[in-house]
């Protein structure tokens, strides 16, 4: 919030801001940024929760190998992201960007719920379906969200909106680890219950992302297009 007021004061003073506040006046772009932020939040947050859980609850007998075993256990999510990203281009030719984002959130939420159930079992293999689905869901909507955001602005604004998009993604990753970590260290519930609580918290946030995806308009209009059209019609 402080950053927003700072750049607004610079614009009003006639100085060059680091980022123009007019970029935040496009509803489609704002919703796309929300979905983009939440995608990285739930991905990194879930990875953090599962990594800590596996190393402290499943691989505690071999602490020297726990990091390697944990990395291998997360492989299904990576495979899911790679597979869905590889076919994202073909899917985009058949379905709209907002449809892919919505579908991605739904698949991701299902995967996270399966991960929640996996925490209640003793089998490492039980994590595979949830991680795979989460990876598939996130991989489908990552590119689509970026496309929604950047296609909302003309060519001259691509440098600024691209930087904003990347910053929002990084912020989401940081928030995911911070929120999940805060839940894991809470003293309000027994330690063993903090892992399911952290995942449920991330599921709730994923549902917020789905709501944002449902609010995306069917036919996004670039910022400035409506104004330019109105001016042309007025002159005519």
């Amino acid at each position: 919030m402080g950053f927003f007021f700072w750049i607004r004061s610079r614009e009003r003073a006639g100085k060059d801001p680091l980022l123009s506040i007019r970029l935040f006046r496009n509803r489609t772009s704002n919703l796309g940024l929300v979905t983009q932020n939440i995608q990285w939040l739930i991905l990194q947050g879930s990875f953090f929760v599962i990594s800590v859980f596996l190393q402290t609850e499943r691989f505690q007998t071999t602490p020297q190998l726990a990091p390697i075993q944990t990395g291998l256990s997360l492989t299904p999510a990576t495979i899911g992201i790679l597979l869905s990203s590889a076919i994202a281009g073909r899917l985009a030719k058949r379905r709209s960007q907002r449809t892919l984002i919505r579908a991605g959130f739904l698949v991701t939420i299902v995967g996270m719920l399966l991960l929640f159930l996996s925490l209640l079992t003793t089998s490492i293999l039980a994590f595979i379906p949830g991680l795979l689905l989460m990876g598939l869901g996130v991989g489908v909507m990552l590119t689509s969200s970026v496309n929604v955001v950047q296609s909302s602005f003309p060519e001259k604004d691509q440098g600024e909106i691209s930087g904003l998009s990347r910053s929002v993604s990084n912020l989401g990753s940081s928030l995911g680890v911070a929120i999940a970590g805060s839940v894991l260290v809470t003293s309000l519930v027994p330690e063993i219950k903090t892992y399911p609580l952290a995942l449920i918290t991330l599921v709730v946030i994923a549902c917020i992302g789905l709501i944002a995806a449902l609010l995306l308009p069917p036919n996004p209009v670039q910022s400035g297009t409506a104004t330019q059209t109105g001016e042309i019609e007025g002159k005519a």
Side-chain angles (χ1 to χ4, degrees), residues 105-198:
F105 269 114
L106 287 172
V107 173
T108 301
I109 290 172
V110 172
M112 294 175 70
L113 291 175
L114 290 178
L115 285 177
F116 172 80
L117 296 176
S118 301
L119 296 176
L120 308 179
T121 69
T122 57
S123 173
I124 302 300
L125 296 179
F127 287 90
I128 293 178
L131 287 170
L132 182 61
L133 280 178
M134 188 178 72
L136 288 171
V138 171
V140 164
M141 57 183 171
L142 278 179
T143 302
S144 297
S145 288
V146 173
N147 288 340
V148 165
V149 172
Q150 298 196 186
S151 63
S152 300
F153 294 90
E155 186 67 29
K156 65 184 180 65
D157 293 323
Q158 288 305 305
E160 283 186 286
I161 195 60
S162 178
L164 176 60
S165 175
R166 186 66 262 174
S167 298
V168 166
S169 296
N170 291 336
L171 177 62
S173 299
S174 300
L175 287 175
V177 175
I179 293 173
S182 298
V183 176
L184 290 181
V185 299
T186 183
S187 58
L188 299 177
V189 296
E191 182 178 353
I192 191 62
K193 293 184 179 180
T194 58
Y195 300 104
L197 179 61

Side-chain angles (χ1 to χ4, degrees), residues 35-47:
T35 62
Q36 197 175 326
N37 179 275
I38 291 179
Q39 289 160 24
W40 285 100
L41 189 155
I42 58 180
L43 178 64
Q44 297 299 330
S46 298
F47 274 10

Side-chain angles (χ1 to χ4, degrees), residues 51 54-55 59 62-75:
S51 296
L54 291 176
Q55 292 188 60
F59 302 136
T62 56
Q64 68 278 9
L65 297 177
I68 298 176
Q69 292 172 314
T70 299
L72 291 174
S73 299
L74 294 175
T75 301

Side-chain angles (χ1 to χ4, degrees), residues 212-234:
L214 292 173
L215 294 175
L216 284 169
N219 297 308
V221 178
Q222 285 189 352
S223 287
T225 303
T227 302
Q228 293 170 2
T229 303
E231 291 176 353
I232 294 173
E233 291 177 351

Side-chain angles (χ1 to χ4, degrees), residues 75-97:
T75 301
T78 304
I79 293 175
I81 293 175
L82 292 175
L83 288 176
S84 55
S85 297
I87 62 173
R90 280 176 285 180
L91 291 175
K93 295 178 181 179
R94 301 178 181 179
R95 297 289 185 270
S96 65
Q97 302 290 353

